[in-house]
Amino acid sequence: MRFRRLVAIGVLLTALGLLAGCGAGAPNREQRARVEVAVLDDGGALVDLYAAGRLESDAEVRALAGRVARRLFPRAADVRVRTTEGRGTAFARAEIDRAYRTGRTPSLHIDTSGALRELTARGFDDTAVKLRLPPVPATSAQPSPARLRKNAPAPVVDIAMRPEPKRWYGAMALPVLGAAGVVLGFFVRRRSIALPSAGVAVVTAVLSVTLSAGRQGANLGVAGKLGGTALDVASVAPLTAVPIGLPAAMLLVTVAVRWFHKPVAHQPEMRPRDTGVFW
């Protein structure tokens, strides 16, 4: 009996020693964070905070994201924070209203010192930062900050944007020309006019993609001309040149196939009815 008791005590002490050793040697959870700031076309902004470390709950992540957003945009009208998921990683997103004032020459001042204090207070000593601006002509007094580090100067970014709404009007010329080319290609009987017109429609469809015509709507939003749903529609409108050009491309392919498969000389091709459609 005494031997069994000694063995049990030995096993118990060994287990306690192992548990104590594992607990003492366990490393602290690494504190990692990434902040992505997206300045929107309509004057708003989004601040996404990806935080991994000793934050206990989603509520703490949302609270930290809200404080960081308010530090980055202290003059914002409203800040709404929610937890969402993207690319398989949960993060907190702060949606900011009126982060800057739209107009002919809007400017944006971002001082990251307040955000740096909030992050370092929670143990995030080295935070990656990514800044995205609207696709309009702009000048920046300082490059976009790449990292926020403890005991390092906090970057301050001054951005002056120069929206050019005329770029959107130029992009809208593409679907207009494409529609005219499709109409002429299908309803003009003379091939010398119809085929080049169809070719113009195809070229406008290609140019609308290569020239990023869908991004020109940002000039209207930053300039304060449009907002909300109207801005979304205006941004998509130049890209309608792509579906408009598809029938013209099919027409050219059909003509090419018929040209390569000409009828035999002793089997003359029947002339279609003179309707003016599809010549």
Side-chain angles (χ1 to χ4, degrees):
M1 182 66 68
R2 181 179 299 176
F3 176 75
R4 292 181 180 179
R5 184 178 300 175
L6 292 176
V7 171
I9 294 174
V11 171
L12 180 60
L13 292 176
T14 302
L16 292 175
L18 291 175
L19 291 175
C22 292
N28 293 329
R29 296 178 62 185
E30 183 183 3
Q31 292 279 87
R32 294 180 292 106
R34 185 173 81 254
V35 177
E36 296 183 0
V37 182
V39 181
L40 304 181
D41 307 340
D42 58 357
L46 298 176
V47 177
D48 295 340
L49 173 63
Y50 300 82
R54 293 186 292 272
L55 297 179
E56 298 296 336
S57 63
D58 289 346
E60 292 189 8
V61 179
R62 289 194 297 269
L64 180 58
R67 292 195 299 270
V68 169
R70 291 182 180 89
R71 294 291 188 177
L72 292 174
F73 301 97
R75 298 182 180 180
D78 185 29
V79 178
R80 301 178 303 277
V81 186
R82 59 188 175 91
T83 304
T84 183
E85 185 171 335
R87 293 175 292 182
T89 305
F91 64 94
R93 165 167 291 179
E95 300 176 354
I96 303 168
D97 292 337
R98 285 189 287 180
Y100 68 96
R101 181 175 297 179
T102 58
R104 299 179 61 181
T105 56
S107 60
L108 189 62
H109 177 81
I110 301 178
D111 186 353
T112 61
S113 59
L116 178 60
R117 288 193 299 270
E118 294 289 346
L119 291 167
T120 54
R122 296 307 305 261
F124 298 101
D125 297 336
D126 189 359
T127 302
V129 179
K130 183 178 181 181
L131 176 63
R132 296 196 305 271
L133 299 175
V136 300
T139 57
S140 176
Q142 185 173 342
S144 172
R147 310 197 74 84
L148 298 179
R149 292 187 173 92
K150 186 178 181 180
N151 299 327
V156 178
V157 182
D158 289 305
I159 303 166
M161 292 179 281
R162 302 185 306 276
E164 298 179 359
K166 61 183 180 182
R167 292 192 175 190
W168 180 83
Y169 296 111
M172 279 303 299
L174 295 176
V176 173
L177 291 175
V182 170
V183 171
L184 294 176
F186 276 88
F187 295 99
V188 172
R189 196 163 58 246
R190 298 185 60 180
R191 294 193 178 186
S192 60
I193 298 177
L195 294 182
S197 299
V200 169
V202 174
V203 171
T204 57
V206 175
L207 289 178
S208 66
V209 177
T210 57
L211 298 180
S212 301
R215 296 166 61 90
Q216 302 306 322
N219 289 280
L220 297 177
V222 176
K225 302 293 184 181
L226 293 177
T229 304
L231 178 59
D232 296 336
V233 174
S235 299
V236 177
L239 294 178
T240 55
V242 176
I244 289 175
L246 292 179
M250 296 174 61
L251 177 61
L252 294 177
V253 171
T254 302
V255 172
V257 171
R258 291 183 62 185
W259 187 82
F260 282 110
H261 295 80
K262 293 182 179 180
V264 184
H266 62 273
Q267 294 180 353
E269 182 181 6
M270 298 297 295
R271 181 181 179 83
R273 291 187 303 171
D274 192 8
T275 60
V277 180
F278 306 107
W279 13 273

